[in-house]
Amino acid sequence: MSKPGIALRRISGHCTVTADRIVAWYLLDPQGWSFRPDSVREQLIIDGADAYAQLVKRQLHIRVTTRPYPVSRWAAAHDENAPAPLPGWRNHLLTDQQHLSGRSMADKEVYVGVEIPARKGLYKALGGLAGTFSDREVSALSKEIRVTDEIMAAPGMDGAPVSARELEWLLHRSCSLGLPAPLTLGAVDDGRWEEEDLHEFTDHVKWFAEPYARTLRVIGENEDQRVERHVCVLSVGRMTDLEIPAGIPWMQRTDQLGFPVEWSARVTIEDSAKVGMAMRRNIQKIRAQKDHYEVEHREPAPGALDRQADKALGVEDEISMGLSGLSTRTTGWYRIAVSGASEEEALERASLLRKLYTPQITIARPADQYAIAREFIPGEKLASTAYKRRMPVTTLAAAVPAATAKVGDRVGIHLGETSGTSARVVTWEPWESTETREESGLAVLCAGLGGGKSTAGGNIIYRTVMQGVPWTVLDPSGRLTALCRLPELAEVSQAIDLLDAPPGALCTYRVIAEPRREHYDSELDWRTAQNQAEDTRRLLTSSVLRAMLPRQLQDHMLTEVALMRAVGAVSARHTASTHEVVDALTRLDGDPDLRRHAGYMADFLTEAAKTSHGRLIFPSGYQQDYGREDPLLTVYSLRGLALPDESTANSEDLDERLSMCVLYLAAWLTQRGMYLGDVNARKGIFIDEAWALSTFSTGRRFIDRAARDSRKHNTRVLMASQNPADLLKLDLANLISAAFIGRLTGEDAQTDALRFLPGIRDGMGYESIFGTLSRPTREGRRGSREFIFSDGTGGIERIRMDLSAHPHLLAALNTTAQPDQARNRVARPELTATPTTSANEPERESA
């Protein structure tokens, strides 16, 4: 019987068997690292070090590989998740699929093989025993395997015994080092592999290496296809002292590269007593060398001897006085493999990897590429003892190989890719929080000028409208009306400039949606909702009308009384009018002072209703518009409105006060889209300039209503603002389920933004990150906009918004002013058609 070309002889359960050892394999759970407190990071490292320390005298094989997530699988799930795709959906999805095929959607997988201790002579026997008897021998080690399982499942490791499929994947990735991932796996799923089965991993792969070649050639065959890759294997060399916890774990750094990287580490957890004896012997040698210089030759000893002695004394003291396993030492060999379609590409990637670790860690290329590459295969022996690294168990644990970017999902819309500690594609399902977790649909989008609010909001809106999800958008500047002009959305969109809308379009009674009976399970619930809507209309009407008054009238004690009585005299149905409140003010009974004061208020509001902004709040008659069918995308704009700021909330200028009221009521009108259509169907609302909500007393009620009803009506509500403090005034931080925080340069704004990231507090050093987002180049260009994205499930990462697959969308959302080249071109005198030339001078070409 022919033997496979590897040392592995058998697989039983999650254990591999070779001629001299049994190794149990575990798959570690991914660990989030970005935006976690240092205390949490330190505890993760300490827990990992403690787990390693319990494996004294054992040999470990740490293998880091990737499992590509098929783009076709994402596309299928994404297509199935679309409720009512538009006609252009197919082309849209194919474009995204082709775009993502060139991006990394791979999941990092970290496998750890742990040697199982056995009685003397057993390993030798296992090499020649029959398969069934070998299973019995493995079963005899069940106690040791069970203990190892418990150690690997402890915090810091969170490892689970591998399944047959997972171990099969690891063997394919190791024997076919550098080749594309296999499309299909074998049929074995019972956890048992006979020696004859192992040929499946080796027969279709050939390795070719020339002596002292810089790379290894790996050729794989699959039916009629032949794939060749060049693999360059590197080894970790000398390391400086690393900061713990580091900004990025030293084995996670390679996740930042835009190509796959494989790790293989052979580690031995040393016996403390043995290491202590070795340190004492080294100390004695160093002292003898110093005596040789200073006593025998009466010359000063080199300073290097003193430094070596101090280091050896420190290690010996740490081991002898250590009160826990954290004083344990390790020895290991750490190899890294990169591959390319050509030798030049593989070496170029190796150079990028070296630069990634310079100057803290030296990365070397061993001479025997073939032998070193075989170390990646489970069961193979160590090929070379060169580049041995000795380190405390805490430094090994600080590698945190399982650390990765955890954000988004594998079903939702494509947002972009992570741009922090890892480079991973980010997709997100906006309605997962309301449909699965039954949480609020509120999300915030904060960024300063040029930070990309329109880009992020427009990207989310466009992609979900293509799925058939209706959106109502308030964009005062009117930039997002460009979405309505895109060919694929033109027939299902409308752009409405509210400043040109009919009178009463923003009437305080109209903008509060009337509850529909079909949205409630019982008559009682419906009546309760109607009462709540009427209460909100009364409060909103009182708040807006008071904000329209001059400062003297606003602050007068009789104003509240007059408004309360007048508003209370009007039916709070959605058919009511603010004109009725004015009429009620003129008819108030009671104290003469109150009647006179109410008359002043009525006169002022009557005149205000005649202004261009005021007519939007005071209808000439009720508009019956609830029966009509709204388009899929409605974008409200307020172009031409002089947007006030926070300091003009109580301005003496009537136009500024009315502008504030118009902006505020436009937000309420936009929210009305939540209540249209099927209560269970997905819906979206986007409100820019949401800071205006904080300037009205009923702003808090707006947020309460949005948080409560977004869950009931399956609505994703995006609120955008340049300043996080404005949203914090609304107590929004504890109600949101997702956040996009873009570039912020002010220190106070950066501190406030942390409130939207769960588990992150100020003073932890994360504030400055917001100032590094979307950093402009020397030419002033910022490129793709960056955000800190919190997905609502605990994932927080730095991401780069990617619209490159849809350039027409990127152009539509580009809010940067483009210079008029024709207007800015400097006038130049025209050149004559026939320039004058001398007889001895050749004729020049005309420009």
Side-chain angles (χ1 to χ4, degrees):
M1 179 182 68
S2 63
K3 294 183 178 294
I6 54 178
L8 199 64
R9 289 295 173 264
R10 184 170 181 77
I11 298 175
S12 180
H14 64 294
C15 296
T16 57
V17 181
T18 61
D20 59 352
R21 73 190 56 212
I22 298 174
V23 176
W25 285 89
Y26 304 87
L27 180 64
L28 305 190
D29 275 352
Q31 300 285 352
W33 187 263
S34 299
F35 293 93
R36 300 186 76 179
D38 281 347
S39 59
V40 175
R41 292 177 173 180
E42 289 175 0
Q43 191 60 49
L44 178 64
I45 293 173
I46 291 172
D47 290 341
D50 185 63
Y52 282 126
Q54 297 180 57
L55 301 173
V56 173
K57 300 182 182 179
R58 309 254 206 122
Q59 293 185 11
L60 311 181
H61 187 183
I62 302 174
R63 275 288 282 117
V64 180
T65 185
T66 57
R67 183 187 292 268
Y69 186 88
V71 176
S72 58
R73 190 183 304 174
W74 166 81
H78 192 45
D79 180 56
E80 185 178 353
N81 189 49
L86 297 184
W89 170 252
R90 176 176 173 80
N91 290 334
H92 170 84
L93 187 59
L94 287 175
T95 301
D96 273 347
Q97 191 172 352
Q98 292 171 357
H99 178 68
L100 291 180
S101 63
R103 298 292 190 271
S104 173
M105 287 189 77
D107 291 322
K108 182 168 66 172
E109 293 187 343
V110 181
Y111 296 85
V112 178
V114 183
E115 179 187 11
I116 302 300
R119 66 178 185 271
K120 256 187 177 180
L122 174 62
Y123 288 143
K124 185 176 181 181
L126 285 175
L129 290 177
T132 55
F133 192 65
S134 176
D135 279 338
R136 292 201 301 271
E137 290 290 353
V138 173
S139 299
L141 298 174
S142 60
K143 181 178 179 181
E144 286 79 5
I145 294 174
R146 187 165 56 251
V147 171
T148 306
D149 291 349
E150 293 174 356
I151 294 173
M152 295 302 295
M157 286 291 185
D158 298 305
V162 297
S163 65
R165 290 294 188 195
E166 291 165 344
L167 193 51
E168 180 183 3
W169 177 264
L170 177 61
L171 288 168
H172 271 299
R173 296 297 275 169
S174 301
C175 295
S176 304
L177 191 64
L179 293 180
L183 298 178
T184 58
L185 298 180
V188 176
D189 58 3
D190 61 356
R192 293 180 55 189
W193 289 72
E194 305 294 342
E195 186 171 354
E196 296 85 351
D197 298 325
L198 300 178
H199 291 269
E200 178 181 328
F201 301 112
T202 58
D203 283 356
H204 300 287
V205 181
K206 304 297 182 185
W207 290 18
F208 299 92
E210 298 179 4
Y212 303 104
R214 296 182 295 176
T215 61
L216 165 75
R217 280 197 310 136
V218 179
I219 299 177
E221 297 179 358
N222 183 16
E223 295 180 353
D224 296 333
Q225 296 183 351
R226 183 176 183 271
V227 181
E228 178 177 339
R229 291 290 186 271
H230 289 259
V231 179
C232 181
V233 184
L234 307 169
S235 190
V236 174
R238 305 188 68 176
M239 303 170 61
T240 61
D241 292 334
L242 301 177
E243 181 184 356
I244 300 176
I248 303 176
W250 58 271
M251 283 185 74
Q252 194 206 359
R253 291 190 193 179
T254 53
D255 291 358
Q256 302 175 68
L257 301 173
F259 47 84
V261 176
E262 302 268 334
W263 279 84
S264 175
R266 302 296 183 100
V267 182
T268 300
I269 310 300
E270 298 288 358
D271 183 6
S272 299
K274 181 179 178 182
V275 175
M277 292 176 60
M279 289 299 103
R280 284 189 287 274
R281 287 196 299 269
N282 287 336
I283 292 171
Q284 292 173 357
K285 291 179 182 179
I286 293 170
R287 287 173 177 170
Q289 292 175 7
K290 287 192 65 175
D291 289 345
H292 179 74
Y293 278 98
E294 297 174 350
V295 177
E296 298 180 14
H297 294 280
R298 296 184 180 181
E299 294 287 339
L305 289 178
D306 289 328
R307 291 193 295 270
Q308 292 175 11
D310 291 341
K311 193 167 185 178
L313 282 170
V315 172
E316 196 271 339
D317 180 68
E318 181 182 342
I319 292 173
S320 61
M321 300 300 293
L323 301 178
S324 68
L326 301 182
S327 59
T328 305
R329 311 291 292 186
T330 69
T331 57
W333 295 261
Y334 303 87
R335 320 295 193 193
I336 314 172
V338 295
S339 61
S342 63
E343 183 177 57
E344 291 73 18
E345 183 179 29
L347 293 174
E348 181 182 355
R349 291 180 171 181
S351 176
L352 291 175
L353 193 145
R354 286 193 186 96
K355 293 178 181 177
L356 189 66
Y357 284 96
T358 303
Q360 288 182 310
I361 301 176
T362 303
I363 303 296
R365 179 171 54 81
D368 193 347
Q369 290 283 291
Y370 181 88
I372 298 297
R374 288 187 66 93
E375 292 183 10
F376 285 77
I377 303 175
E380 296 298 305
K381 293 184 178 180
L382 189 69
S384 171
T385 58
Y387 304 105
K388 177 193 287 187
R389 301 270 63 82
R390 299 176 177 87
M391 64 181 68
V393 71
T394 50
T395 304
L396 172 62
V400 197
T404 187
K406 297 174 61 177
V407 70
D409 51 54
R410 290 299 170 82
V411 175
I413 59 174
H414 173 228
L415 294 179
E417 61 184 10
T418 56
S419 56
T421 58
S422 304
R424 296 288 183 266
V425 167
V426 179
T427 57
W428 179 54
E429 172 48 60
W431 289 270
E432 195 268 341
S433 63
T434 55
E435 294 178 342
T436 304
R437 303 197 306 273
E438 296 186 354
E439 295 178 354
S440 161
L442 276 175
V444 297
L445 210 169
C446 287
L449 287 173
K453 295 193 305 299
S454 297
T455 300
N459 187 32
I460 295 171
I461 294 167
Y462 171 79
R463 293 179 182 276
T464 51
V465 169
M466 289 298 298
Q467 291 182 312
V469 178
W471 276 84
T472 308
V473 177
L474 172 61
D475 178 33
S477 65
R479 299 284 191 178
L480 293 181
T481 57
L483 293 175
C484 301
R485 297 191 292 270
L486 294 176
E488 58 270 36
L489 301 184
E491 294 184 0
V492 295
S493 305
Q494 70 173 353
I496 299 176
D497 187 350
L498 288 175
L499 296 186
D500 293 331
L506 297 178
C507 176
T508 55
Y509 294 97
R510 174 181 180 263
V511 297
I512 305 299
E514 179 69 9
R516 297 185 176 186
R517 176 64 184 87
E518 61 268 24
H519 292 172
Y520 298 90
D521 297 331
S522 66
E523 186 80 13
L524 178 61
D525 292 341
W526 179 44
R527 296 298 181 188
T528 301
Q530 285 183 316
N531 293 333
Q532 291 174 348
E534 291 176 358
D535 290 342
T536 303
R537 292 188 185 105
R538 294 188 187 97
L539 289 172
L540 179 62
T541 301
S542 178
S543 178
V544 169
L545 294 182
R546 182 172 183 172
M548 295 170 63
L549 299 172
R551 175 78 63 85
Q552 303 92 309
L553 290 179
Q554 287 185 34
D555 297 339
H556 200 285
M557 63 179 184
L558 293 178
T559 298
E560 185 72 23
V561 178
L563 278 176
M564 182 178 64
R565 292 187 181 181
V567 171
V570 176
S571 171
R573 300 288 293 169
H574 61 284
T575 57
S577 167
T578 44
H579 276 304
E580 298 178 55
V581 179
V582 177
D583 293 340
L585 284 172
T586 62
R587 299 193 303 268
L588 283 184
D589 296 329
D591 184 81
D593 291 338
L594 177 62
R595 292 201 309 270
R596 184 168 53 255
H597 185 81
Y600 295 150
M601 294 171 58
D603 291 343
F604 184 88
L605 293 174
T606 300
E607 294 303 316
K610 298 176 183 179
T611 64
S612 59
H613 294 345
R615 68 180 183 82
L616 297 173
I617 304 172
F618 292 88
S620 56
Y622 169 65
Q623 277 188 305
Q624 179 68 20
D625 60 354
Y626 276 91
R628 64 183 175 85
E629 184 176 345
D630 288 328
L632 203 60
L633 172 62
T634 300
V635 181
Y636 293 120
S637 66
L638 294 165
R639 282 181 290 189
L641 180 71
L643 291 178
D645 55 36
E646 187 178 1
S647 62
T648 61
N650 295 312
S651 173
E652 293 295 337
D653 184 75
L654 173 60
D655 188 62
E656 289 185 348
R657 295 198 305 273
L658 287 174
S659 296
M660 182 74 75
C661 295
V662 166
L663 182 60
Y664 180 56
L665 290 172
W668 277 99
L669 176 65
T670 304
Q671 192 191 52
R672 196 182 68 165
M674 184 188 305
Y675 306 96
L676 305 178
D678 184 359
V679 66
N680 296 314
R682 295 175 182 173
K683 294 170 284 293
I685 292 173
F686 177 85
I687 298 176
D688 200 0
E689 305 293 350
W691 60 268
L693 300 173
S694 65
T695 62
F696 284 81
S697 59
T698 49
R700 174 60 189 167
R701 179 168 287 250
F702 182 99
I703 297 301
D704 286 337
R705 189 181 174 97
R708 180 181 68 251
D709 290 351
S710 61
R711 177 180 59 84
K712 294 180 181 179
H713 292 264
N714 198 17
T715 306
R716 172 55 72 182
V717 182
L718 283 175
M719 293 193 176
S721 182
Q722 293 184 17
N723 192 350
D726 296 327
L727 298 178
L728 290 176
K729 293 176 183 177
L730 299 164
D731 293 333
L732 193 60
N734 297 325
L735 299 173
I736 66 170
S737 60
F740 295 84
I741 312 297
R743 181 176 176 83
L744 298 169
T745 55
E747 293 183 2
D748 293 338
Q750 293 172 352
T751 302
D752 291 337
L754 294 177
R755 294 277 305 278
F756 297 120
L757 305 178
I760 306 299
R761 302 184 307 274
D762 57 339
M764 296 168 59
Y766 291 115
E767 293 86 348
S768 59
I769 292 179
F770 300 113
T772 66
L773 302 174
S774 307
R775 182 176 290 169
T777 62
R778 292 183 178 179
E779 294 79 16
R781 300 174 182 174
R782 286 187 181 165
S784 299
R785 299 302 192 262
E786 290 183 305
F787 296 87
I788 303 301
F789 173 41
S790 171
D791 62 6
T793 61
I796 304 175
E797 292 289 342
R798 178 174 179 158
I799 70 169
R800 181 183 299 110
M801 199 68 67
D802 183 11
L803 282 73
S804 58
H806 305 279
H808 70 298
L809 173 64
L810 181 60
L813 296 177
N814 185 7
T815 61
T816 303
Q818 300 298 317
D820 188 339
Q821 299 295 335
R823 185 179 65 239
N824 294 339
R825 187 182 297 119
V826 178
R828 300 177 182 176
E830 295 185 2
L831 298 176
T832 57
T834 54
T836 304
T837 59
S838 65
N840 296 325
E841 183 181 8
E843 185 177 357
R844 300 186 183 93
E845 288 186 3
S846 60

